[in-house]
Amino acid sequence: MWPICLCLLILQSTVFADRADRVPLKEHGVQRVKNRLFPGCSFGGFVHELGDTWNPDLGSPFGILHCVRCECLTITKKRRVVGKTKCQNIKRDCPEPLCKEPVLLPGQCCKTCPTQEYSNPANSEGLVPENPQSHHQEFYSLLTDVSFTTKDVLGRGYFTLEESVLRFSIVCERALLEVTSVQFLDADSNILYEQNATQPTAAASMKVCGTWEHIPRVYKAALLSGGLRAVLTTESFPDGQLEGTIHVNELDSQEIFSAVLHSDISKLDEETASGGITMISLEKNGDIEHAIFLVKLHNVFEKYQKQLDTIPVTITVSRTGGRQQRINIINMQIIPQQATIRFRWEAMTNQELRWLARQQLSLSVNVQGALAETFNGIIKIKQTCTAFRAALSGGDALISSSTGAGGTADFSIGDNGALLYRIHIMGMSSPVTAITIEGETIKQGQIRIVSNFVRSYSDGWAEGAFHKQNTKEVEALLSNKLFINVATERFSDGEIRGQVVGEMFQEDRSEFPFLLTGSEMEPVVRTPIAGQAWISINKLCQIHYEIILHGITGNRGNEFVAVIYADTTEQHKRNLITFNRNRAEGTAIGISKYLFQAMNNEYVILQINSKGYPAGEIRGKVTVINNCQDTYELLMQSDETNNELDEVNFSCVYERKEYEDGASWTSAFDSCVMCSCQRSMVVCDRMLCPTVTCENTVQLEGECCPSCGVVSTGEIALSLPDLAQEEVASGCFFEADQKWHAYATSWHPYIPPFGFSSCALCSCVVRNIFSFRFYNKKFYNLIKFCQTPIVKYFCTQIILRFYISIAARIDVIADFAFYSIMRKLIKHLIPSVD
C-alpha cells in the first residue's frame, strides 16, 4: 500500500534503512549547534554535554557498541572551554569471571556468571550518576571593582538555578557605562559561558539580566561548591570591571531584604576590596514577627586569622529617614574563621516592620580589631530582574463572569521601595468602581484589601506608586500571594481578577504584553477567557511569539488556533500554531512583507480561535517596530546569491540530535507534531486533520486524526516490513513525515517551511502490489555483501530478525518463492539452521 497525494507523491523505500526518527540518546531542550557559547561534543548527529559518557550507536547493522565507551572531555582554547570526544575499548577492563561457563547478557560488554552481579567497566573511573538537585536553588555573589579604580564593593549578583537553567540578575550600586557582557569563569579563569549585553552599551546600566541555558552537570557541581565566578565586562575594561565568587544562598527563596555593605576606609593600596552582603528573611510566631540576618563579609576576617582568637563586632540598625535614630544594637564575638555572622532581631514592632518594608533602615557592622573598620549599607527590598505580572479575566473572578473583558497588570519595586503599578483593562460591561490589590484571606469569606487604585484610573489605564506597604505586602509580592480585582457597577464583587506572579527574566519578552479579549471581536464575544501575548522580531525577520490564556473553565474543550492577519478583512492571514493548553510559544518564518509593514506602521491582529468559536474568541492589536519591509528582499534571497548567508551554519539541535537546515522530523514530545529546521530555528506545527465525511468516525491507534476506518476492498495486503518497527503489519510509509499510516486514512502532507498543506490530501489505499521481485534483488545483493567474514555475523543477526518477523505472516503472503529464497540465504550463512 502506498500513499497517494493529490499534488505531491513521494515514493522511496529501502529494506535496511535506519529510522530517521530515531530517539536521541539524551533528552534535553533545543540548542543551536552554531552557538559557540554552548560547550559540548557532537558525535553521530547527537550533542553531548561536558562530562557525558556513552556507548556509540553506529546504526544498522552494527547497532550499539557496548564494549566502546566515549566521553566528552573538557579542553581549553584561548581561555574558552570546549568539548572533545574520546572513545576507547573497555573490554580489556572486564573482570575475570569466577565460574567455568560465564554468559554474556544482552546489552552488556563483559561476560558474567549467572549468579554474579554485573559490573560495568564504564564506571570504573569513579564516574557516578548526578545526584538529584532541588528543583529551585538560589545563589549570590558580592561584586567588587577589580579595575583598580575604586577598590569598592559595587554590586550584588542574584542567581537562580532551575534544573539546567541558571537565571541571573546583577544589580550595581552605581551605574556602569558601556556594559558589554557577563562572563562565568572557573577557578583557572577559563570562560565557561559568556552572554553579550542585550541593549546598546551607550546607556548607563544599574541592572544586568540574563539566562544561561543547558548548564552542564560539571558546571552545576562547580557552582554548588563555590568554584564559579561572575564577571561584568565593559568597553573600558574588556577583561572585567566587576567580579565576584558565586556562593549558595543559605536563605534560598526565603530572602526578602538585603543590603550591600561598603567600607568606610579607602583601600586603593590593597589587591582586593573589602565589603559585605546582608540577607534578611522573616519568621512569624503567632502575631510576633522576627527578622533573621545573615552577614557575609569579604576580605575582612582573613587578615586576623593569625593574630586573634576572637574579634569583637558591633552591629547597629538605624533609621535613615528624618533624624538619625538607632533602633537596635547587637554585640558579639566572632571567630576569624567564621564566614557568616548570623543574628536574630526578636519581636519587631509594627513601626519597625514598616520602616523595613519602606527601605528606611540602614545596617552598620563595626569590626573592632587592630584596624578598626566599619561597613555600612541601606536595607532594601530584594531587587532582581523578576517581573511581577497579573493577567485579569472573568473566568478567574471570585464569581465567574463571561463579558469578554480582560486586563493585564505590571508591578515593580522602585528605588525608594515604593510599589510601582501599571494596569490596563478593556471591555468592561459597566463603569469601573474599584481596582483593588488584595492579600490573603483574613477569615472565611473575608479578603484583606491592601489598597484601591481606582483614583488613578482613566480611559482603561491605572498607573502610579504605592508607598504605604508593610512587610506583609512585600512578602506576599515575592511569594505570589497578591491579587488584582476590578469591580464594576454590574459586578460589585469583581468582573475580572488575576494573581500577581513573579516571572524570571526572558530575553524575547517585551516589557508590557499585548492584551487579547473577546471585547475586541466583531461582534463582541462574551467569553470568560482573556489572553496575553508577547511578540518580538529578530534580525532575520523571524517572529517569536508567546501566548498565555487565562480564565479557561474545566467544562470546555481546550484546543485553540492562533492566527495573525493585517486588518479586519483578514488579508495575508497566517496560522501561527494549534495548541491544546493555556500556553503556546514558537517562531514564525516566511511572514509576508505586507504583515511586517502593517505591524510597523499601524497594527496587525492576533486572534485565538477555538472549537466553540471557530471564527475567533479573543483577539488584540499588535504593533512591533521593525525594518523588515526594507530588508525583506535580501533575506528572501536563496543561499546561492547570498554569499554572507552561505558562510553561516544553519543547522539545528533538537532533543540532543543535530539536524541540517531544511530537515524535518516528528516531535519527541508529541507524535502529532512535526518539526523542521529552518535557518537554525526549530519550527513545530501540529498536524492538520482533514475533514471526515462519514457519520461514525474511529480513532485508530497511532493515528493523530479520526478516520472512517472502512476498507472498500476485501483484499489483504501487506506493506514493506520495517525492521526497526516490526509491529507495523500494514499501512503506508510516507517519506515526507517519516511515518506509517494505517490503511483507509487520509492526511494533509507536511511541506516545510510552510507546514501542513491544506491544499493537498494524501490517502493510504489498499492495493495488492506486494511483489517479491523487489525482495529478491535486495537479498541477492545482501548475499554478496555477507560473503565478507567481518560482517557475516551481523548479517546473520539481521536476517534472523527478519525471518522471525516474516514467519508469523507467511500463511498470509502466499508466495513461497520468497520463502525458499529466505531459507537458501539463511542456510548459506548458518549451515546448521534447518
Side-chain angles (χ1 to χ4, degrees), residues 289-350:
E289 201 151 10
H290 317 281
I292 307 300
F293 286 71
L294 264 67
V295 181
K296 305 275 190 176
L297 295 181
H298 173 70
N299 194 30
V300 177
F301 295 146
E302 292 83 353
K303 65 187 71 175
Y304 300 113
Q305 289 184 4
K306 296 181 180 180
Q307 303 176 14
L308 302 172
D309 294 332
T310 59
I311 303 172
V313 174
T314 300
I315 299 176
T316 304
V317 180
S318 306
R319 187 191 175 195
T320 58
R323 189 177 64 179
Q324 189 77 12
Q325 179 182 359
R326 293 186 176 183
I327 307 299
N328 194 2
I329 300 176
I330 300 175
N331 296 307
M332 59 180 64
Q333 296 289 328
I334 301 298
I335 302 174
Q337 293 79 11
Q338 185 173 341
T340 303
I341 302 176
R342 187 184 184 102
F343 67 94
R344 182 186 180 99
W345 187 349
E346 300 281 356
M348 297 182 66
T349 65
N350 291 333

Side-chain angles (χ1 to χ4, degrees), residues 628-792:
C628 289
Q629 65 271 20
D630 300 327
T631 60
Y632 186 83
E633 298 298 335
L634 175 63
L635 291 171
M636 292 298 106
Q637 290 179 2
S638 65
D639 289 349
E640 295 180 359
T641 59
N642 192 339
N643 295 327
E644 181 180 355
L645 295 180
D646 278 338
E647 300 175 358
V648 182
N649 178 15
F650 287 113
S651 59
C652 306
V653 171
Y654 177 83
E655 289 300 301
R656 291 298 188 162
K657 186 172 183 180
E658 182 181 354
Y659 296 90
E660 296 296 330
D661 183 27
S664 60
W665 64 92
T666 304
S667 169
F669 303 104
D670 192 339
S671 60
C672 297
V673 173
M674 289 293 297
C675 300
S676 63
C677 178
Q678 302 172 18
R679 292 187 177 274
S680 301
M681 300 297 296
V682 176
V683 180
C684 298
D685 296 286
R686 178 166 291 277
M687 179 174 289
L688 184 63
C689 293
T691 303
V692 182
T693 57
C694 57
E695 295 182 359
N696 300 321
T697 61
V698 295
Q699 186 78 32
L700 299 178
E701 184 179 356
E703 291 294 322
C704 300
C705 299
S707 62
C708 294
V710 177
V711 185
S712 58
T713 176
E715 294 180 0
I716 298 178
L718 290 178
S719 61
L720 184 66
D722 182 2
L723 294 181
Q725 192 177 354
E726 296 176 359
E727 68 275 8
V728 178
S730 62
C732 304
F733 182 76
F734 190 45
E735 185 70 24
D737 58 12
Q738 295 291 314
K739 288 184 178 180
W740 283 90
H741 296 268
Y743 58 78
T745 59
S746 300
W747 67 94
H748 292 296
Y750 181 70
I751 309 176
F754 308 103
F756 289 94
S757 174
S758 59
C759 298
L761 185 65
C762 299
S763 300
C764 182
V765 298
V766 180
R767 291 184 179 179
N768 190 6
I769 61 172
F770 194 85
S771 173
F772 292 112
R773 294 181 181 178
F774 175 79
Y775 286 93
N776 297 352
K777 180 179 179 181
K778 291 291 182 180
F779 280 114
Y780 280 131
N781 291 337
L782 182 61
I783 291 176
K784 296 179 180 179
F785 175 74
C786 292
Q787 297 299 325
T788 307
I790 298 178
V791 298
K792 187 172 182 178

Side-chain angles (χ1 to χ4, degrees), residues 254 281-285 288-292 342 344:
Q254 296 180 357
S281 65
L282 297 177
E283 285 186 357
K284 195 169 184 179
N285 186 7
I288 301 176
E289 201 151 10
H290 317 281
I292 307 300
R342 187 184 184 102
R344 182 186 180 99

Side-chain angles (χ1 to χ4, degrees), residues 64-67 91 94-95 97 99-114 116 118-121 793 797:
I64 299 177
L65 302 183
H66 297 287
C67 288
K91 190 171 184 178
C94 292
C99 56
K100 294 183 179 180
E101 297 181 355
V103 294
L104 181 62
L105 300 177
Q108 307 295 349
C109 173
C110 305
K111 290 185 177 182
T112 57
C113 298
Q116 180 182 351
Y118 181 78
S119 176
N120 190 351
Y793 171 78
Q797 298 300 315

Side-chain angles (χ1 to χ4, degrees), residues 251-284:
L251 294 181
D252 204 54
S253 57
Q254 296 180 357
E255 179 187 357
I256 303 176
F257 304 93
S258 66
V260 176
L261 306 178
H262 301 266
S263 175
D264 61 347
I265 301 176
S266 178
K267 298 184 177 182
L268 291 177
D269 56 332
E270 296 191 7
E271 294 184 1
T272 57
S274 298
I277 291 179
T278 299
M279 296 168 283
I280 305 170
S281 65
L282 297 177
E283 285 186 357
K284 195 169 184 179

Side-chain angles (χ1 to χ4, degrees), residues 21 43 81 132 190 216 297 305 351-352 416 421 477 488 590 615 632:
D21 58 347
F43 186 91
V81 174
N190 296 315
L297 295 181
Q305 289 184 4
Q351 182 63 62
E352 292 169 345
N416 58 354
Y421 62 88
L477 176 67
T488 59
Y632 186 83

